[in-house]
Amino acid sequence: MTGNRRPARMRALGMELAAARVRAGKTTVQAARGIGTSPATVNRTEKANRVSLPTDVASLLTLYGITGPARHRIMDLAENLDAREWLETVDRPRRLLPTLIGFESSARTVVDFDNAVIPGLLQTPAYLRGLLTVAGVLGSEQEPYVDARIDRQRVLAKLAGPQYTAIIDEAILRRPCGGSEVMVQQINWLIGRAQLPHINIHVIPARHGMYPNWGPYRWMGFAGEPAVVYVENSGVAGFIDAPDQVAGFECRTAALMRVALGAADTVNFLTRLMADYERS
């Protein structure tokens, strides 16, 4: 590792191994004894303070009883732990979902920007079904996606959940997804979420005209750990953790907030927009 960088892949591996150990009902002392190493080594691996050998990871997974696709996915994490970028092509982004959920669950602060759809953590099931229909996922095939999305959204209902900010382009809200009734339900849900103390929603109104737009991203800040950014666009998805690149996304957030409506004005805007859909 270089500088103060904590690669997302290393942190993801640590989270996976720690969760697997807990599910197996083992302490770090028992895990260390089981693979012939020290408890400090196991602790440092779980806290992403060392580059773990793939052989050590394989031994831990065997000890924890991890097999099949889960084992393959975690072993894949153990390769190229210090790579500067962690990106997957369009056919593999679902492999990143467990890591994304892990980061969302442990984050203290989350900032979502989207210029194409309402951010996933704020989507209603009906809105998501509309998106899935457009993508060609129909009928009962939609339900696993809906169930998984509802599970992810529980992070915002946790007592110690993150401070969450969503920045949304007005065009998203003006483009019906699933019909007017679905949009009324979705916008009403946004209004309700925006009134919670740990959730802020900001709309960038069309009247501002053009603004710097780098595509959707999710910035996640942590207590005592460097921030991580998740991106998914143009057939590629992944995590950015290099400090200089993460800082660039923080500057982007500041620029977007300068053209977005304040929290109270956003609620007023959403209320008027919902009334428009109710009349349509």
Side-chain angles (χ1 to χ4, degrees), residues 128-142 145:
L128 175 57
R129 287 190 179 96
L131 294 176
L132 291 170
T133 298
V134 171
V137 181
L138 306 174
S140 61
E141 294 180 352
Q142 296 182 351
Y145 293 91

Side-chain angles (χ1 to χ4, degrees), residues 1-2 5-10 51 76-87 239-243 245:
M1 290 184 293
T2 59
R5 181 172 172 236
R6 301 285 297 283
R9 192 182 290 266
M10 283 182 62
V51 178
D76 185 59
L77 286 175
E79 302 295 335
N80 301 315
L81 284 175
D82 200 24
R84 179 170 174 81
E85 294 179 336
W86 180 10
L87 299 173
F239 297 94
I240 295 171
D241 56 61
Q245 295 183 21

Side-chain angles (χ1 to χ4, degrees), residues 69-149:
R71 180 185 180 91
H72 180 75
R73 178 173 54 79
I74 296 172
M75 286 303 303
D76 185 59
L77 286 175
E79 302 295 335
N80 301 315
L81 284 175
D82 200 24
R84 179 170 174 81
E85 294 179 336
W86 180 10
L87 299 173
E88 302 276 7
T89 54
V90 70
D91 59 332
R92 299 180 69 189
R94 286 187 63 80
R95 290 164 55 88
L96 300 174
L97 187 57
T99 299
L100 177 59
I101 292 172
F103 280 136
E104 288 173 345
S105 297
S106 57
R108 291 289 184 88
T109 308
V110 176
V111 177
D112 251 338
F113 167 67
D114 212 310
N115 60 350
V117 298
I118 291 170
L121 291 179
L122 295 175
Q123 291 172 4
T124 64
Y127 183 91
L128 175 57
R129 287 190 179 96
L131 294 176
L132 291 170
T133 298
V134 171
V137 181
L138 306 174
S140 61
E141 294 180 352
Q142 296 182 351
E143 296 317 302
Y145 293 91
V146 174
D147 291 343
R149 182 60 51 82

Side-chain angles (χ1 to χ4, degrees), residues 49 61-62 92 138 173 215 223:
N49 286 327
L61 294 179
T62 299
R92 299 180 69 189
L138 306 174
L173 301 166

Side-chain angles (χ1 to χ4, degrees), residues 30-49:
Q30 292 169 327
R33 187 181 301 123
I35 68 168
T37 190
S38 68
T41 296
V42 173
N43 274 315
R44 291 179 63 214
T45 296
E46 292 184 357
K47 296 182 182 300
N49 286 327

Side-chain angles (χ1 to χ4, degrees), residues 112-120 123 166-170 172 204 211 213 215-218 232 256:
D112 251 338
F113 167 67
D114 212 310
N115 60 350
V117 298
I118 291 170
Q123 291 172 4
I167 308 171
I168 306 171
D169 192 292
E170 178 183 344
I172 297 169
I204 299 177
Y211 61 90
N213 188 334
Y217 64 88
R218 178 168 302 140
E232 186 172 341
L256 292 170

Side-chain angles (χ1 to χ4, degrees), residues 148-207:
R149 182 60 51 82
I150 291 172
D151 282 342
R152 275 183 61 201
Q153 291 176 346
R154 289 194 175 99
V155 70
L156 296 183
K158 293 195 312 182
L159 208 57
Q163 187 71 32
Y164 177 78
T165 298
I167 308 171
I168 306 171
D169 192 292
E170 178 183 344
I172 297 169
L173 301 166
R174 294 286 184 186
R175 184 176 299 112
C177 176
S180 295
E181 186 176 341
V182 170
M183 292 304 295
V184 168
Q185 181 188 58
Q186 175 65 76
I187 294 171
N188 187 54
W189 177 255
L190 291 178
I191 292 170
R193 297 296 89 186
Q195 292 171 348
L196 297 176
H198 65 293
I199 295 179
N200 292 297
I201 300 176
H202 301 271
V203 169
I204 299 177
R207 69 170 183 265

